[in-house]
Amino acid sequence: MSIFLSNMEDLRTKFVRYESSEIEESDLLSAKKEIGESDEIRTECLQQLRKELQNLKDIDPCLEEAFLLRFLRVSKFSVPKALQRVQKATTSKRKF
């Protein structure tokens, strides 16, 4: 039982509250490494995703960087997966 408690204490120390406005540099680097984000990849993927979205005729999505980065980050910078997510979000918004 003491092993379980010590593991729980470790988890609590790594938890970042939602309201937190500051993230430690080591945690940020770890997260970026996990999803494969770098300045070059971010720029390249944003350009590709914007190009793909502009080629679509049936939707008119937001092309702002902050908006598109949400989809790229959750898709670990896979442009095809991010494109599908943007399409799904846009059509869902239109329905509701």
Side-chain angles (χ1 to χ4, degrees), residues 26-44:
S26 62
D27 291 337
L28 183 60
L29 291 175
S30 175
K32 283 185 174 186
K33 184 178 178 182
E34 182 180 334
I35 63 172
E37 183 174 353
S38 67
D39 291 339
E40 299 83 25
I41 290 174
R42 181 177 47 243
T43 303
E44 181 181 325

Side-chain angles (χ1 to χ4, degrees), residues 33-62:
K33 184 178 178 182
E34 182 180 334
I35 63 172
E37 183 174 353
S38 67
D39 291 339
E40 299 83 25
I41 290 174
R42 181 177 47 243
T43 303
E44 181 181 325
C45 289
L46 277 169
Q47 287 175 350
Q48 288 177 4
L49 185 57
R50 280 188 182 118
K51 183 179 177 182
E52 292 291 331
L53 288 169
Q54 288 171 343
N55 290 335
L56 296 176
K57 304 290 184 210
D58 56 336
I59 65 171
D60 186 29
C62 176

Side-chain angles (χ1 to χ4, degrees), residues 16 20 46 49 58 73 90 92:
V16 178
S20 177
L46 277 169
L49 185 57
D58 56 336
R73 286 182 173 139
T90 305
S92 294

